[in-house]
Amino acid sequence: MGTLWHNVVAVLVAALLQSVAVTGNFQLEVQVVRVRDSVDDCGWWPEVCDLYIDEMCLDPQFEEPGSEEEDQDCSLIEYENNLDLESGLPKTRTLSVTNQPWPVDFHLRIEVMDIDTFNNDDHIEDVVVSESLNTSSEFSEEMDYRNTPNGRITLSMRFRVRCSGEYEGPHCDCLPHNDGHYSCREDGGISCLPGYTNTSNLCRQQDYCVGEVCPSEETCVSNPTSYT
Ligand SMILES: *[C@@H]1O[C@H](CO)[C@@H](O)[C@H](O)[C@H]1NC(C)=O
Ligand SMILES: *[C@@H]1O[C@H](CO)[C@@H](O)[C@H](O)[C@H]1NC(C)=O
């Protein structure tokens, strides 16, 4: 019983340490290339289809609108500057997120509004994007996003996600040389710099046999503080 209890505590402490250690910085660029509105064709009375995007909500978890588990609490970012879709596309909005790793699989909820002259601005619908996207210097292919079956708005969009600050790696959560001696690998792991060992210790362990310290490599055995 005592051992079980210890294990439970150890697991909880490990989970807590891990959640505290979560970090990362990234920027997601959302570019709206074209917009189609299946109700208003904008030809007859331009004011009626003056569209803009109000809120964008980035979340790795939330469920499709209308589903039972629907959770739209924007765990990563909620961005509320109007993005005008009426005057010239493409338009790009940059979502900057700090202290969070890039989730790769993400959901983006985009609130499309209609400015009209008859009453208050109308909320038309939320277009939801569920994508998997790797960090890249290139924008993704342009794709059409429309809520099925009865979505009114089609947004043609492309995305780009890049790490910001010093962060690197597929989740933008690796800081090279952060309190250790390593570089970040493409697959998310780390590689020790020459002269350092032990990735599970963030390469803090010096390998005293590398470099000119040791008289002969064949006889050199590195131990934690020196060589013999
Ligand atoms: C992201 O990168 C991984 C590993 O390189 C690859 O397997 C995967 O297909 C990529 N996903 C996308 C959406 O490009
Ligand atoms: C590497 O570091 C880990 C974590 O500090 C430690 O438990 C382990 O003993 C080290 N391995 C070696 C070979 O020194």
Side-chain angles (χ1 to χ4, degrees), residues 27-211:
Q27 289 196 329
L28 173 66
E29 289 166 88
V30 179
Q31 186 171 83
V32 180
V33 183
R34 271 173 298 123
V35 184
R36 260 156 294 149
D37 181 341
S38 63
V39 172
D40 292 318
D41 68 5
C42 301
W44 177 65
W45 197 324
E47 293 94 322
V48 203
C49 54
D50 291 352
L51 297 177
Y52 70 100
I53 287 172
D54 184 12
E55 182 186 289
M56 276 192 196
C57 167
L58 177 64
D59 195 313
Q61 269 128 26
F62 73 67
E63 309 294 332
E64 292 292 317
S67 73
E68 251 176 53
E69 317 80 42
E70 184 178 349
D71 158 23
Q72 302 196 337
D73 63 357
C74 291
S75 71
L76 286 192
I77 195 170
E78 195 165 350
Y79 194 103
E80 294 197 50
N81 279 347
N82 290 354
L83 186 69
D84 166 28
L85 300 180
E86 174 204 22
S87 60
L89 292 174
K91 285 270 171 67
T92 306
R93 180 180 277 182
T94 303
L95 308 179
S96 297
V97 179
T98 54
N99 298 319
Q100 291 286 345
W102 168 241
V104 180
D105 297 320
F106 69 102
H107 299 279
L108 189 66
R109 178 162 48 84
I110 301 175
E111 192 177 51
V112 181
M113 307 284 291
D114 176 16
I115 311 166
D116 67 41
T117 46
F118 309 112
N119 48 28
N120 292 334
D121 294 355
D122 300 324
H123 174 226
I124 298 184
E125 68 180 333
D126 288 351
V127 174
V128 174
V129 171
S130 296
E131 279 289 347
S132 184
L133 186 69
N134 286 331
T135 57
S136 168
S137 56
E138 307 285 324
F139 272 95
S140 61
E141 295 281 300
E142 182 187 324
M143 294 254 291
D144 284 353
Y145 295 93
R146 174 172 174 272
N147 293 331
T148 51
N150 297 316
R152 168 173 163 182
I153 300 294
T154 305
L155 296 176
S156 302
M157 292 187 285
R158 40 190 217 142
F159 306 96
R160 174 166 66 173
V161 65
R162 291 182 294 177
C163 300
S164 47
E166 303 285 301
Y167 285 90
E168 293 179 4
H171 295 278
C172 299
D173 62 350
C174 183
L175 266 185
H177 318 297
N178 176 32
D179 196 21
H181 302 90
Y182 57 88
S183 58
C184 303
R185 293 202 315 248
E186 284 293 304
D187 68 3
I190 61 175
S191 295
C192 294
L193 298 180
Y196 294 90
T197 60
N198 198 353
T199 53
S200 55
N201 194 22
L202 297 182
C203 307
R204 287 196 186 97
Q205 196 166 313
Q206 197 156 3
D207 181 351
Y208 289 92
C209 298
V210 171

